[in-house]
Amino acid sequence: MLTGRQYLETLKDNRQTFFEGERVRDIATHPVLGTCAERVAKGYDRWYSPEPNAVSPLMTIPHSASELKERIPLTHAADIVSAVTYQSIMTLTTAATRIADTLPEYAHRIRAYVEDAQRRDIRIVECITDAKGDRSRPPGKQDDPDAYTRVVERRDDGVVIRGAKLHITGASLSHDLMVIPTKAMKPGEEAYSIACAVPVSSPGVKIVDTTYAPRHPDPRSFPVSSRIHMPEGFVILDNVFVPYERIFLDGETRQAAIFAHSLGLWERLGGLSAMAEEADQLVGFSQLIAEANGLADVGHVKEKISEMIIHATLVRAALEAAIANCQITPEGAFPNELYTNAGKYHAAANYSAMVRHLHDISGGSILTAPSIADLENEVTGPLVRKYLGTMNGVDGEYRARLFHAIRDLTADAYGGWKAVTNVQAGGGLYAQRIVTRKYYDLKGAREKALEVAGINHKSHA
Ligand SMILES: Cc1cc2nc3c(=O)[nH]c(=O)nc-3n(C[C@H](O)[C@H](O)[C@H](O)COP(=O)(O)OP(=O)(O)OC[C@H]3O[C@@H](n4cnc5c(N)ncnc54)[C@H](O)[C@@H]3O)c2cc1C
């Protein structure tokens, strides 16, 4: 396993990372990206074991519902690059299981890659979302044929790929890009049916980062995002060579969607578990601010918080059901598709309504509460404390800190990131509707309705 220091050394591999118009020569010392690298390094130290064959708990494959459940708090405690590494390992393992009968050679390569990644303790990010061009047209009918990542050249020892993968969380902080087709492919789209693992330092890989990191000098004004921000990478694959041993699909259109579906399952389980946690946090903030404002026993406030509690409980129940009803295979335990997708959809679709309740209950100081530095100023401090305080036992600083956290979590750059991410990550809401419908027992529901209506279903089928 790698220590945090060793991880930081691995980033000095001449990778081409760009940030706000400039090439980043040394990620570890960069004012924004450096703090992200330090966070990932801390994760390495946290799970480090000097045992010769030790594997990070976030790189091992769960084999039962209880092991699946044990991973959830680990992923929440982890930085997002380590969390998506777990999802990438599980995506590949699930895809290998699903293609093993028809494409055993690729399944074998995937398993060998996963074992090697575990041994090297690397970080892997999920590269599925292509540039996509005109959304109404398939890959082969785009004005620019590179709108979807494709094979542009074939060599004796591998292939050359070209394209771009957008919104790739933590790409610059990882070692490998797990590149997979973004959707199902049809005959004629063989060049686009490519799945492979690409080192970030490969010639031709260029990553343009964006961030929601607070750019304020005082991190106390951003108590949430200052601790957890991570860049999103616009990953350009500009004629990148991939050797055959790192290719997991190459031209087999029928199996292209298996990779996207496998990733969707793990990405949505991750999203569902994060939203179960966030739903509890939103309830907690609503209750704390209602108490601090003296309104915790007022009817309309209690009703809103009750609604938030019901939402949080149902999201948690979907997560529990997804795990308890997991599919056990010889390769690992995979969460239940129906509960994962329906739960993720419900959590994401109702997230903004829960935030609305929190904002409604909290009041305008979410946006306007003075900073901690203003509370420390000898002129303004006592006056801000006096007027931001509400009663004995609820002083101005306590309320200011609650408001800062609520603003940062729901109403500032990170809050905006979260609102969009909850809807889009793991494929937009539409993707979850499709998968939910696929796994729901619609035939059984029809039969139940016919029975209730007293209609002989055989004569009306
Ligand atoms: C912060 C953030 C982090 C992300 N992290 C990652 C990551 O790590 N790795 C990764 O691969 N992706 C990542 N994503 C990408 C995410 O999966 C996509 O944003 C999502 O799949 C939607 O794709 P898009 O952004 O290209 O939007 P679009 O495809 O343009 O979709 C916009 C809307 O159009 C609809 N639409 C699109 N095409 C069609 C069509 N043909 N017919 C009908 N409706 C259509 C969609 O359903 C959606 O409602 C991330 C996204 C965000 C916001």
Side-chain angles (χ1 to χ4, degrees):
M1 292 180 76
L2 296 180
T3 64
R5 285 297 118 200
Q6 287 169 328
Y7 160 73
L8 291 173
E9 284 300 310
T10 65
L11 298 179
K12 295 179 184 160
D13 56 4
N14 210 25
R15 57 187 57 206
Q16 293 200 56
T17 289
F18 296 80
F19 185 76
E20 298 183 342
E22 308 255 330
R23 171 100 186 255
V24 178
R25 297 280 170 189
D26 183 7
I27 290 182
T29 58
H30 187 269
V32 175
L33 302 185
T35 58
C36 307
E38 201 55 50
R39 193 166 308 120
V40 179
K42 277 198 183 118
Y44 269 100
D45 286 336
R46 177 179 178 160
W47 283 296
Y48 178 74
S49 162
E51 295 299 314
N53 295 319
V55 173
S56 165
L58 274 171
M59 302 274 284
T60 56
I61 294 160
H63 285 275
S64 64
S66 60
E67 285 183 11
L68 202 48
K69 193 166 176 173
E70 282 162 17
R71 293 294 185 285
I72 304 279
L74 287 186
T75 56
H76 290 170
D79 61 90
I80 199 163
V81 177
S82 301
V84 295
T85 298
Y86 168 63
Q87 288 174 189
S88 301
I89 294 267
M90 294 314 300
T91 295
L92 289 174
T93 303
T94 306
T97 308
R98 293 177 178 178
I99 64 171
D101 288 345
T102 46
L103 302 170
E105 171 60 21
Y106 290 131
H108 175 71
R109 277 188 210 169
I110 290 175
R111 291 184 194 115
Y113 172 76
V114 167
E115 275 173 30
D116 186 54
Q118 290 169 328
R119 190 181 52 73
R120 293 191 296 131
D121 199 13
I122 58 169
R123 295 297 178 259
I124 307 167
V125 290
E126 309 162 337
C127 289
I128 178 167
T129 311
D130 283 302
K132 292 187 288 199
D134 179 343
R135 272 63 175 155
S136 69
R137 288 191 252 164
K141 300 248 164 69
Q142 296 288 334
D143 293 338
D144 183 342
D146 301 334
Y148 287 76
T149 301
R150 65 181 179 130
V151 173
V152 290
E153 189 189 332
R154 220 159 259 295
R155 297 183 187 163
D156 289 345
D157 48 352
V159 301
V160 175
I161 60 171
R162 190 191 301 150
K165 295 286 184 180
L166 272 47
H167 335 281
I168 309 306
T169 303
S172 294
L173 282 306
S174 71
H175 302 105
D176 270 12
L177 310 168
M178 178 188 68
V179 174
I180 61 176
T182 200
K183 63 186 208 49
M185 296 292 165
K186 298 200 174 102
E189 295 171 343
E190 286 74 14
Y192 297 97
S193 303
I194 178 78
C196 53
V198 176
V200 171
S201 58
S202 303
V205 173
K206 297 178 183 64
I207 303 174
V208 184
D209 281 320
T210 56
T211 185
Y212 53 85
R215 312 301 277 279
H216 194 281
D218 187 347
R220 294 176 301 177
S221 294
F222 297 85
V224 185
S225 58
S226 60
R227 283 188 287 110
I228 57 171
H229 64 86
M230 199 54 79
E232 308 295 348
F234 190 110
V235 176
I236 300 157
L237 303 162
D238 193 17
N239 297 329
V240 178
F241 173 73
V242 188
Y244 279 120
E245 66 270 18
R246 283 177 156 257
I247 295 177
F248 309 139
L249 189 81
D250 181 13
E252 294 78 6
T253 53
R254 281 170 66 90
Q255 284 82 9
I258 287 176
F259 287 84
H261 292 161
S262 302
L263 179 128
L265 176 62
W266 290 97
E267 177 66 31
R268 287 167 207 154
L269 183 79
L272 176 61
S273 77
M275 280 188 264
E277 207 59 20
E278 285 159 19
D280 288 337
Q281 291 165 4
L282 295 184
V283 170
F285 275 118
S286 298
Q287 183 63 24
L288 287 172
I289 210 75
E291 288 168 8
N293 289 358
L295 294 173
D297 292 325
V298 168
H300 79 91
V301 172
K302 282 173 81 175
E303 275 170 31
K304 284 172 192 133
I305 295 177
S306 301
E307 205 179 301
M308 295 172 79
I309 290 171
I310 290 166
H311 171 79
T313 305
L314 288 178
V315 173
R316 175 97 33 209
L319 175 64
E320 294 284 337
I323 291 170
N325 294 283
C326 65
Q327 179 196 3
I328 307 286
T329 74
E331 309 227 13
F334 307 149
N336 177 280
E337 292 271 9
L338 179 65
Y339 296 121
T340 301
N341 280 276
K344 160 69 172 62
Y345 176 88
H346 179 81
N350 293 289
Y351 174 77
S352 59
M354 299 304 119
V355 170
R356 186 192 76 204
H357 285 327
L358 173 60
H359 290 175
D360 194 6
I361 291 166
S362 301
S365 295
I366 296 171
L367 298 182
T368 63
S371 69
I372 299 297
D374 293 312
L375 284 155
E376 288 167 350
N377 180 285
E378 60 185 28
V379 177
T380 55
L383 294 166
V384 171
R385 273 175 212 284
K386 173 178 159 74
Y387 291 110
L388 211 52
T390 48
M391 62 188 92
N392 288 340
V394 181
D395 71 10
E397 178 171 343
Y398 171 72
R399 262 180 99 234
R401 289 168 68 111
L402 283 181
F403 287 131
H404 294 161
I406 293 169
R407 170 183 44 73
D408 193 17
L409 191 64
T410 63
D412 218 320
Y414 176 57
W417 177 90
K418 202 157 245 325
V420 177
T421 303
N422 281 349
V423 172
Q424 294 295 353
L429 294 179
Y430 176 55
Q432 286 123 68
R433 277 205 294 268
I434 294 176
V435 183
T436 301
R437 206 182 149 93
K438 178 176 168 192
Y439 286 94
Y440 179 76
D441 182 9
L442 193 53
K443 189 163 168 270
R446 283 179 85 252
E447 280 166 11
K448 285 179 190 177
L450 287 167
E451 193 179 329
V452 170
I455 299 171
N456 180 344
H457 68 283
K458 288 202 178 72
S459 59
H460 288 81

